[in-house]
Amino acid sequence: MTASNLDRTLAALADPYRRRVIDLLRERPHRAGELAQCMRLSFPAMSRHLRTLRSSGLVEEDRDEFDSRVRIYRLKPEAMSTLRSWLAETDALWARQLTAFKAHLQKTQK
């Protein structure tokens, strides 16, 4: 994941409404109107949140097979796995740093 992609992903997840959309989409795909209704947001406001989530690569949009005006949103699992990988790398770095710091403290206290 490039730095700009990571920045877009983290910026998208910084908003509580967008995190709630992610939570809803973890359960199953939803129509845009369903998401707006569940979140008690206007359709234009939900549309802006969904656009941000799409541009960050966290969700994808499909059209309903019976009514092409209806948009259905679902999570893109590869986006979350990339974020998880970055978080795991960051966690490992911090763990190494803290282990080294602990060893340094123990050595200086002797």
Side-chain angles (χ1 to χ4, degrees):
M1 174 179 269
T2 66
S4 63
N5 288 347
L6 181 60
D7 290 346
R8 277 194 302 274
T9 299
L10 292 173
L13 293 173
D15 185 277
Y17 287 107
R18 291 192 285 266
R19 287 194 307 273
R20 178 69 181 124
V21 169
I22 295 294
D23 288 341
L24 290 168
L25 293 177
R26 282 190 343 210
E27 297 168 10
R28 64 175 174 82
H30 282 76
R31 292 180 288 120
E34 285 179 309
L35 291 168
Q37 186 177 19
C38 287
M39 305 280 296
R40 295 187 176 141
L41 288 174
S42 68
F43 190 76
M46 180 52 65
S47 182
R48 286 190 296 275
H49 287 299
L50 290 169
R51 187 176 324 116
T52 300
L53 289 169
R54 263 193 342 265
S55 69
S56 72
L58 291 168
V59 302
E60 59 189 359
E61 170 189 286
D62 288 323
R63 301 288 180 157
D64 185 85
E65 63 183 271
F66 301 109
D67 185 351
S68 64
R69 296 172 297 169
V70 176
R71 296 175 183 184
I72 300 171
Y73 291 87
R74 71 184 82 252
L75 287 179
K76 288 177 71 175
E78 62 274 6
M80 288 299 199
S81 65
T82 305
L83 179 59
R84 276 193 304 274
S85 295
W86 179 81
L87 289 170
E89 291 170 13
T90 303
D91 184 52
L93 171 69
W94 278 104
R96 287 191 306 271
Q97 293 292 328
L98 291 172
T99 300
F101 183 63
K102 181 180 177 183
H104 172 72
L105 285 176
Q106 288 173 343
K107 187 164 73 172
T108 58
Q109 289 176 349
K110 288 182 182 179

